[in-house]
Amino acid sequence: MKRLLPIAVKRLHSSFENTHPKSFMNEVRALIGIKHRNIMNLYGYCLDTKNSLLVYEYVDMGCLSSILSNKVESKKLDWLKRVNIIKGVAFALSYMHQDCSPPIVHHDISSSNVLLDSKYEARVSYFGIAKFLKPDLPNCTALAELAYTMKVTQMCDVYSFGVLALEIIKGKHLGEYITVLANLSTRDHVQLRDLLDERLPYPEDRVKEVLVFIIKLASSCLLETPKSRPTINAIHL
């Protein structure tokens, strides 16, 4: 007898797939074909007039945002685990941008859409508004990116990656520091302690160097001009 695997079911808004049903179905079929250790597997879907469901693999630890906001669970995410989570998200985005055909822009990279498995490995999830890079795509819907550009490019994900990486290191969204770090003239005035999660011990020198490198890299992802940001493939962690 085969062992049944646990699954997670996401119910979509009733109007989501009805806007462009053919396009929606094409995207779902393509996403089912994605196989990467840092991307949550989409097993299947169920669509009818009343319900639209996506069936994913079940990931043990739940979403990163919940863990970071929990006083007890967040302390289990030591600096090395956090660095590994950031690397995992970068690997997932690199796969989507470079190895998928056509390339895929997730559009909603955030701590709510990154899940952790039992080994604290990152799994990018919920491609509800993912878009394939084609000339006729509609405008970018990533809210943070809308402040800078209305064009759909991989830089939408790069910007969100920068915000997420800093959130993981700080343990919460940086708020006003996002603008400060995006500005080359004010970035150097930010103290490292202001960017670290105070719930964790101050990092040792070896780990501190890695965190400083990631902070500089993440800050470059926030630059106002998208062309000035690194591509996700150029982000080596």
Side-chain angles (χ1 to χ4, degrees):
M1 182 177 179
K2 293 183 178 180
R3 184 172 66 91
L4 296 178
L5 295 176
I7 60 172
V9 179
K10 183 176 180 67
R11 183 176 181 179
L12 301 179
H13 190 277
S14 59
S15 63
F16 181 83
E17 81 286 355
N18 292 327
T19 306
H20 301 287
K22 184 177 180 180
S23 174
F24 173 80
M25 289 301 300
N26 289 338
E27 292 186 14
V28 168
R29 292 189 185 104
L31 291 173
I32 288 177
I34 290 180
K35 301 297 178 186
H36 189 276
R37 63 177 295 179
N38 296 114
I39 297 177
M40 191 166 68
N41 290 321
L42 176 62
Y43 290 144
Y45 56 90
C46 175
L47 302 179
D48 60 31
T49 56
K50 294 183 178 180
N51 295 294
S52 302
L53 307 175
L54 296 178
V55 182
Y56 289 94
E57 68 171 315
Y58 178 77
V59 182
D60 307 65
M61 299 298 292
C63 73
L64 177 60
S65 61
S66 296
I67 296 174
L68 289 175
S69 63
N70 186 293
K71 292 182 179 180
V72 176
E73 295 300 321
S74 61
K75 292 179 180 179
K76 296 178 183 178
L77 291 182
D78 59 33
W79 294 121
L80 293 180
K81 284 189 177 75
R82 296 190 189 207
V83 169
N84 192 53
I85 291 168
I86 294 170
K87 286 182 178 180
V89 175
F91 291 152
L93 288 176
S94 179
Y95 172 81
M96 291 164 55
H97 291 183
Q98 302 295 325
D99 298 327
C100 291
S101 182
I104 300 173
V105 175
H106 186 284
H107 269 197
D108 197 18
I109 292 295
S110 68
S111 58
S112 296
N113 285 336
V114 173
L115 305 185
L116 301 183
D117 65 17
S118 58
K119 296 181 180 179
Y120 293 98
E121 287 281 346
R123 302 288 189 91
V124 173
S125 65
Y126 303 140
F127 292 70
I129 57 173
K131 296 297 178 184
F132 294 84
L133 282 182
K134 297 178 181 178
D136 58 344
L137 283 178
N139 290 337
C140 177
T141 56
L143 295 180
E145 178 66 12
L146 282 175
Y148 294 147
T149 178
M150 292 294 288
K151 187 177 181 180
V152 174
T153 72
Q154 295 168 339
M155 293 299 107
C156 297
D157 283 347
V158 169
Y159 180 91
S160 297
F161 171 78
V163 174
L164 175 61
L166 293 168
E167 179 183 348
I168 292 171
I169 292 174
K170 180 62 177 176
K172 62 181 180 180
H173 195 283
L174 262 66
E176 63 182 28
Y177 277 111
I178 294 295
T179 303
V180 174
L181 291 171
N183 191 323
L184 291 173
S185 63
T186 59
R187 181 184 301 171
D188 292 339
H189 298 290
V190 177
Q191 299 296 313
L192 176 62
R193 284 187 177 275
D194 294 333
L195 302 177
L196 299 180
D197 192 337
E198 298 175 352
R199 296 170 296 185
L200 296 185
Y202 195 78
E204 298 177 356
D205 289 345
R206 180 176 61 86
V207 178
K208 177 182 173 182
E209 290 178 5
V210 175
L211 294 175
V212 169
F213 174 77
I214 292 176
I215 289 171
K216 290 181 178 179
L217 188 61
S219 298
S220 70
C221 296
L222 306 177
L223 293 174
E224 181 174 351
T225 305
K227 290 183 179 179
S228 299
R229 303 170 197 162
T231 64
I232 201 68
N233 200 42
I235 296 176
H236 300 290
L237 298 174

